[in-house]
């Protein structure tokens, strides 16, 4: 399995608080992605990174920001969490345009 | 806009049966198509990747085919086992913007249950 970890694995927070999720890889892959998975919607891309300090928005980026200061770490921040951001968040990595490898996911609940 | 549809949404079969899962996509200008497996509460595990120039890929009891012109892919599972029970997702990679970024769009998945 590709070396991808996500932290925390579970988090419960309150509306209006900032939350940061971390994705860490040991594969030295160039591309990193944040997705959210919700019933009936499948996986939707939030943000992605194509290199250190190079990031761009996905299809559901409102309310989220990202940072990538090192190849191995990709952080997702919910600036002010809302109940609509309750979801399972997955990080993925890829080298080039081939297989994406996924992390184990973070289950976030916003009360 | 690329849309990916998977039919059926759920499937229940007795152990030992051969089965086919379907994936269709609306824009045939894809780079590749990937099949994933997801177990409850887990991340996605890549099963097979088919490049746009390929017609099929095989791994063990799994065979995936791609017909780009008709916008269809099938995942064939031979001699199904209870351990195959999971949700199977397909994903297509295609060009998203003028900057050359290639986006991946996922289907919602087919939930498979193999009954012993």
């Amino acid at each position: 399995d590709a070396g991808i970890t996500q932290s925390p694995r579970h988090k419960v927070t309150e509306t209006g608080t900032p939350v940061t999720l971390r994705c860490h890889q040991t594969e030295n892959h160039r591309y990193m992605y944040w997705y959210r998975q919700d019933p009936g919607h499948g996986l939707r891309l939030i943000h992605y990174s194509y290199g250190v300090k190079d990031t761009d928005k996905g299809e559901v980026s409102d309310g989220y920001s990202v940072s990538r200061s090192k190849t191995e770490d990709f952080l997702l921040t919910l600036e002010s969490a809302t109940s609509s951001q309750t979801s399972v968040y997955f990080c993925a990595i890829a080298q080039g345009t081939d297989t994406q490898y996924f992390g184990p996911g973070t289950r976030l609940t916003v009360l | 806009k690329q849309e990916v549809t998977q039919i059926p949404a759920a499937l229940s079969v007795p152990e030992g049966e051969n089965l086919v899962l379907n994936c269709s996509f609306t824009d045939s200008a894809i780079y590749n198509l990937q099949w994933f497996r997801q177990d409850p509460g887990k991340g996605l595990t890549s099963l097979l990747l088919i490049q746009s120039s390929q017609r099929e890929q095989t791994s063990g009891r799994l065979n995936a085919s791609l017909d780009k012109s008709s916008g269809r892919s099938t995942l064939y599972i031979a001699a199904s086992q209870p351990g195959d029970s999971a949700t199977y997702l397909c994903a297509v990679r295609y060009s998203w913007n003028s900057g050359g970024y290639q986006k991946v769009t996922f289907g919602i998945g087919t939930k498979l249950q193999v009954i012993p």
Side-chain angles (χ1 to χ4, degrees):
Chain A
D1 290 345
I4 311 170
T5 56
Q6 292 184 232
S7 58
R9 294 293 314 281
H10 301 272
K11 186 171 182 65
V12 180
T13 191
E14 294 186 349
T15 297
T17 59
V19 176
T20 296
L21 308 182
R22 180 184 184 232
C23 176
H24 179 77
Q25 61 146 328
T26 59
E27 305 297 320
N28 201 35
H29 282 6
R30 177 183 178 187
Y31 297 91
M32 299 186 76
Y33 309 83
W34 276 109
Y35 292 92
R36 59 178 290 174
Q37 186 177 37
D38 304 287
H41 288 278
L43 277 92
R44 293 179 291 175
L45 181 67
I46 305 171
H47 281 280
Y48 66 97
S49 170
Y50 46 95
V52 173
K53 296 186 180 179
D54 291 325
T55 65
D56 206 348
K57 297 178 180 180
E59 58 186 312
V60 290
S61 60
D62 287 348
Y64 302 94
S65 62
V66 290
S67 66
R68 191 171 178 197
S69 59
K70 299 184 291 184
T71 298
E72 57 266 35
D73 289 325
F74 193 32
L75 303 180
L76 177 70
T77 297
L78 287 66
E79 295 140 9
S80 178
T82 67
S83 59
S84 65
Q85 294 176 311
T86 292
S87 186
V88 180
Y89 291 85
F90 288 100
C91 173
I93 65 173
Q95 187 69 307
T97 59
D98 289 333
T99 300
Q100 286 195 349
Y101 299 97
F102 281 78
T106 294
R107 184 173 295 276
L108 176 66
T109 301
V110 183
L111 301 176
Chain B
K1 179 183 176 184
Q2 179 74 265
E3 294 183 1
V4 179
T5 303
Q6 292 188 246
I7 295 173
L11 182 63
S12 183
V13 300
E15 181 178 3
E17 249 190 39
N18 302 324
L19 59 99
V20 174
L21 306 180
N22 297 293
C23 173
S24 61
F25 46 95
T26 53
D27 186 345
S28 62
I30 67 171
Y31 291 97
N32 58 48
L33 183 145
Q34 193 165 2
W35 283 93
F36 292 88
R37 168 186 174 138
Q38 185 175 28
D39 294 287
K42 305 291 185 183
L44 280 69
T45 300
S46 178
L47 298 174
L48 291 165
L49 174 73
I50 312 176
Q51 301 292 351
S52 62
S53 59
Q54 298 174 323
R55 294 300 299 264
E56 65 179 322
Q57 282 287 328
T58 298
S59 176
R61 294 183 293 108
L62 305 179
N63 176 275
S65 67
L66 174 65
D67 184 343
K68 203 171 63 166
S69 61
S70 67
R72 294 181 180 180
S73 176
T74 61
L75 179 66
Y76 175 83
I77 303 177
S80 59
Q81 303 171 357
D84 294 330
S85 297
T87 297
Y88 291 81
L89 297 96
C90 70
V92 297
R93 180 181 291 275
Y94 59 100
S95 181
W96 185 36
N97 57 24
S98 58
Y101 174 63
Q102 297 178 5
K103 183 180 177 183
V104 176
T105 294
F106 287 80
I108 294 176
T110 294
K111 186 174 183 179
L112 173 66
Q113 181 183 28
V114 181
I115 303 168

